[in-house]
Amino acid sequence: MGQQYAGTMTPEDAAAALGISVDATDSEIQRAFKLRARDSHPDLVGGPLPERGARSAEDFIRITAARDTLLQARHSSTAAAQAVHESTGRPRHRRISWQAMAAWLSVVVVAAFVSIGGAELPFTVAEPLVRFAVLTLGLVGFAITGKRVYFVLIALAIIVTAVLAITFTTLGALLGMFILSAPVIGLVLAGRAQRASDLRLGKQPTTSEPQ
């Protein structure tokens, strides 16, 4: 007898059957169902007339279906809202753009020219070129992937540059170090954010290209 209601009752029809609003809470739905059940449960209603008992049984089946329909609709909407919240509530970190990367690297190039051109080179010109190349590789790699190996390259290049700047103190070397601080901080922060995002998503830092 209850098959006529299975899958065919809308939330609006179910709410009307229970005498409540369609957006009623779970407790309101259960309370309305219990009140209606007292008046229609076959074990509580019936009497000497068989047709009255049959009608009560059908009413009980209908309000049971109404309760189940409203509860299912509420739980489905709650699950959908939760899925939307999880997908939008914690937005994924957007990797550093190529425009930002190019801007920071242009500052690194300026710092390299200032350091090389304004300092007495203790070795050949190849040494600072190689040092700044290692630093650039480390900055780019760490900003994109957040991998520690690139951070190690950054640290080594910065330490060597600082030692040489202090040992062979010149205005150009110190000015180059000052200029270099901005892109180093900017790209390292981008790499840390990328690493934190990857770890938060439960995966290892990737080597995919920035968006």
Side-chain angles (χ1 to χ4, degrees):
M1 186 179 301
Q3 293 179 353
Q4 58 182 313
Y5 301 113
T8 62
M9 183 176 290
T10 66
E12 289 75 15
D13 293 337
L18 293 177
I20 55 178
S21 63
V22 72
D23 57 350
T25 63
D26 286 6
S27 60
E28 291 172 339
I29 294 171
Q30 295 287 10
R31 185 162 53 250
F33 168 74
K34 290 178 181 179
L35 289 175
R36 299 299 186 281
R38 293 173 185 172
D39 299 330
S40 60
H41 196 286
D43 294 338
L44 301 177
V45 180
L49 298 178
E51 63 273 10
R52 183 180 178 185
R55 185 167 59 252
S56 298
E58 183 174 355
D59 289 342
F60 182 76
I61 292 173
R62 184 168 62 88
I63 64 172
T64 301
R67 178 199 61 183
D68 295 343
T69 297
L70 285 179
L71 290 176
Q72 183 178 3
R74 274 188 53 79
H75 294 168
S76 298
S77 62
T78 301
Q82 181 66 23
V84 171
H85 174 74
E86 291 178 353
S87 63
T88 60
R90 286 192 283 175
R92 295 183 61 181
H93 168 71
R94 183 175 179 82
R95 293 191 174 99
I96 186 172
S97 65
W98 286 116
Q99 293 84 352
M101 180 77 74
W104 284 126
L105 293 182
S106 65
V107 180
V108 174
V109 173
V110 171
F113 274 108
V114 172
S115 297
I116 296 173
E120 295 181 4
L121 300 178
F123 310 106
T124 64
V125 70
E127 183 276 326
L129 292 177
V130 172
R131 177 161 34 93
F132 275 95
V134 172
L135 176 61
T136 301
L137 174 62
L139 289 173
V140 172
F142 188 69
I144 294 176
T145 68
K147 285 191 172 183
R148 290 181 178 177
V149 62
Y150 294 110
F151 186 79
V152 172
L153 292 180
I154 296 172
L156 290 176
I158 291 295
I159 292 173
V160 173
T161 301
V163 170
L164 292 177
I166 295 173
T167 303
F168 304 94
T169 304
T170 62
L171 179 61
L174 295 177
L175 182 58
M177 284 291 297
F178 177 77
I179 297 174
L180 191 61
S181 62
V184 168
I185 293 173
L187 292 173
V188 166
L189 288 177
R192 287 176 61 86
Q194 179 58 51
R195 181 177 181 82
S197 175
D198 287 340
L199 292 177
R200 188 165 56 247
L201 293 173
K203 62 180 182 179
Q204 294 298 320
T206 62
T207 56
S208 58
E209 297 180 350
Q211 298 177 356

